[in-house]
């Protein structure tokens, strides 16, 4: 493995080297509303992705989870493990929001803010806002979490004991205090008294614990929650106004798809929804539409906590991989369970998250191996399967491992596709094909038409060869694939998603796309071509050049049709 790279400097250098002429405004390449989510068990490297991409966004929202997991960010100010604060807190001009779906632990939040301030990070009510509808995680939540784990003994869930499960249990029983109540002291005290009576019954009668007094509870509230009061506001109204003004919003998730309460390896999950679909609800902007979902995948597998982990390694091989990737929990410091990349689980995670973009992290950690193992399939009940099983069946699943050639050289300095050795490129291509992405590596670029038929590079108008991939190294390099479409505040190209969506691409032809419903292609003026697509439409529209001058309503798909091959199509913009 190679040495550590300076994150921010390497990104700036890449941008300067990869563009000719003066650097354009980076915001023209932003994705209007984007969620960054984990595809696997968490710990994929979402923090560094958010820290990098926040430079392209106006607002960053943390929409679920609490202080039970950490996002590690390394920048010019140092190395930080963020548990509650959004990762955009390091960027000037970015507004960071803790949404209503977050478990608001004021004690840990205040400590985290003090740590960052000591490192020179500016935190004010202008760049950090807390939703008045976020519920407070109170001291008894942490105590109940620890007591229940102790009761479960060898059947424990592997909780971080940060009170997350008791908190969300109380929230859905309507037994929590909302942050906005801190601004109304008389109501707050009355509400806390009611909750205190109920919680002491549980602590004392079920677990035999001491319980709390009202004085102890109010002292905790005044010490920790009082310091957070200046940051509490109606973030829903702020986000609605930001949406009206055309500002770009980044939604940050915690953990990964396999730890989602509904779609993960239940019951060994977190107690909130880590899927991208929950972002609008948990952020406080339920009307938000996600234009992009960046799914983060590690080049191998790691997992903290209990539960089935089909591809898990043990012994010396596991320890070597753990040390190479520094796989220790950001919150607890616990050694992470490790193994080769699990393509069955990863493919399921991509589908669950609805990922439109994939980032592959820590590729250079594998550089020490002479051959790279991958968990390509599962064996269940004597049969090989590529489908992710129902959670109770995972304990009986066995990994089917395949091997690819290793590259055995330092790739931590790679900044574009051609810098990688052939074996590393083959590994990336193998993974993206296995998880549902065909190998179209589209270049990172400024304005201009997309070129889906040039998989690796593209000759730009200036005559320079633009790189097809973006790499960066912060202990371990990552690979990110962008959907390439010019996105603007109020004007964006239509029918772009079909070139990158894994469910459409195998059956799609160039410049063909679908109307609203039924899923057919509109390829000539006044009539649909009638060619049916493989899945329901996403409302993109594609019209011929002739139709731009004449506006005619489209007729039903049963009207006269012609083959898309003869259609001269053009993407309409609005």
């Amino acid at each position: 493995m190679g040495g550590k790279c300076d994150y921010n400097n390497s990104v700036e250098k890449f941008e300067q080297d990869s563009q000719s002429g003066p650097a354009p405004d980076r915001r023209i390449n932003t994705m209007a509303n984007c969620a960054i989510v984990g595809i696997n068990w968490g710990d994929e490297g979402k923090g560094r992705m958010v820290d990098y991409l926040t430079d392209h966004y106006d607002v960053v929202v943390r929409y679920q989870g609490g202080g039970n997991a950490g996002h590690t960010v390394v920048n010019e100010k140092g190395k930080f493990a963020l548990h509650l604060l959004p990762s955009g807190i390091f960027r000037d001009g970015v507004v960071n929001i803790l949404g209503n779906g977050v478990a608001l632990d004021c004690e840990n939040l205040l400590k985290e803010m003090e740590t960052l301030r000591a490192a020179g990070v500016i935190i004010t009510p202008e760049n950090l806002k807390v939703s008045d509808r976020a519920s407070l995680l109170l001291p008894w939540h942490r105590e109940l979490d620890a007591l229940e784990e102790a009761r479960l003994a060898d059947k424990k869930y592997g909780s971080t004991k940060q009170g997350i499960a008791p908190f969300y249990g109380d929230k859905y029983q309507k037994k929590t205090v909302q942050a906005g109540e801190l601004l109304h002291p008389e109501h707050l005290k009355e509400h806390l008294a009611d909750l205190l009576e109920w919680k002491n019954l549980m602590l004392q009668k079920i677990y035999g614990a001491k319980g709390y007094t009202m004085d102890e509870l109010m002292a905790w509230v005044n010490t920790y929650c009082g310091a957070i009061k200046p940051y509490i506001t109606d973030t829903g109204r702020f986000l609605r106004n930001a949406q009206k003004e055309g500002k770009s919003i980044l939604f940050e998730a915690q953990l990964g798809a396999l730890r989602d309460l509904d779609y993960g390896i239940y019951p060994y999950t977190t107690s909130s929804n880590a899927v991208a679909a929950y972002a609008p609800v948990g952020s406080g902007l339920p009307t938000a539409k996600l234009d992009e979902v960046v799914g983060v995948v590690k080049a191998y597998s790691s997992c903290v906590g209990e539960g089935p982990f089909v591809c898990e390694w043990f012994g010396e091989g596991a320890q070597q991989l753990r040390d190479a990737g520094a796989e220790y929990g950001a919150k607890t410091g616990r050694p992470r369970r490790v193994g080769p990349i699990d393509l069955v689980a990863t493919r399921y995670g991509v589908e669950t998250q609805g990922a439109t973009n994939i980032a592959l992290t820590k590729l250079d950690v594998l550089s020490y191996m002479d051959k790279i193992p991958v968990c390509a399939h599962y064996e269940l009940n004597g049969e090989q399967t590529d489908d992710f099983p129902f959670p109770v069946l995972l304990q009986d699943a066995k990994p089917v491992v395949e091997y690819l050639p290793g590259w055995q050289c330092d790739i931590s300095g790679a900044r574009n596709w051609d810098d990688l050795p052939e074996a590393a490129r083959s590994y990336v291509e193998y993974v993206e094909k296995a998880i549902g992405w065909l190998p179209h590596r589209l270049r990172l670029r400024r304005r201009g038409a997309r070129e889906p038929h040039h998989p690796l590079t593209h000759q730009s108008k200036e005559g320079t060869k633009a790189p097809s991939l973006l790499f960066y190294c912060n202990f371990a390099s990552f690979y990110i694939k962008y959907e390439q479409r010019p996105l603007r505040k109020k004007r964006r190209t239509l029918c772009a998603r079909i070139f990158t969506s894994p469910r459409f691409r195998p059956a799609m032809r160039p410049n063909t796309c679908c109307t609203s419903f039924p899923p057919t292609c509109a390829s000539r003026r006044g009539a649909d071509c009638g060619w049916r697509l493989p899945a329901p439409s996403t409302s993109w529209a594609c019209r011929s050049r002739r139709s731009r001058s004449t506006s005619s309503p489209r007729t039903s798909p049963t009207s006269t049709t012609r083959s898309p091959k003869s259609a001269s199509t053009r993407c309409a913009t609005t």
Side-chain angles (χ1 to χ4, degrees), residues 305-331:
E306 305 297 324
F309 188 36
V310 176
C311 63
E312 185 172 9
W313 277 0
F314 301 93
E316 184 179 347
Q319 189 59 45
Q320 189 175 10
L321 179 57
R322 185 178 298 115
D323 291 340
E327 295 297 340
Y328 298 90
K331 179 67 180 180

Side-chain angles (χ1 to χ4, degrees), residues 390-460:
F390 187 70
V392 298
L393 301 177
L394 283 169
Q395 60 184 356
D396 299 321
K398 298 178 181 178
V400 177
V401 179
E402 297 179 0
Y403 292 87
L404 280 73
W407 45 92
Q408 293 190 293
C409 63
D410 179 18
I411 62 170
S412 61
R415 293 297 178 271
N416 57 63
W417 183 247
D418 293 331
D419 290 344
L420 286 178
E422 183 178 354
R425 294 199 299 267
S426 298
Y427 180 79
V428 172
E429 290 170 343
Y430 177 91
V431 169
E432 67 179 2
K433 183 177 180 181
I435 64 176
W437 291 89
L438 295 184
H440 285 289
R441 262 162 304 285
L442 304 175
R443 67 190 182 92
L444 185 68
R445 51 92 168 107
R446 291 165 281 169
R447 297 178 187 269
R450 53 189 296 116
E451 292 289 340
H453 299 299
H454 297 272
L456 296 181
T457 58
H458 172 68
Q459 201 76 12
S460 67

Side-chain angles (χ1 to χ4, degrees), residues 31-36 53 57 249-251 290-294:
M31 296 172 272
N33 284 339
C34 173
I36 295 184
L53 289 178
Y57 288 86
I249 304 173
L250 183 66
F251 301 91
L290 294 181
D291 298 283
E292 312 290 340
V293 177
V294 176

Side-chain angles (χ1 to χ4, degrees), residues 498 501-505 507-508 513-520 531-539:
I498 59 170
S501 173
R503 81 172 60 158
F504 282 163
R505 185 184 287 156
M508 295 304 297
C513 53
C514 47
T515 56
S516 56
F517 191 84
T520 54
W531 184 34
R532 298 191 66 80
L533 301 183
S537 168
T538 53
S539 78

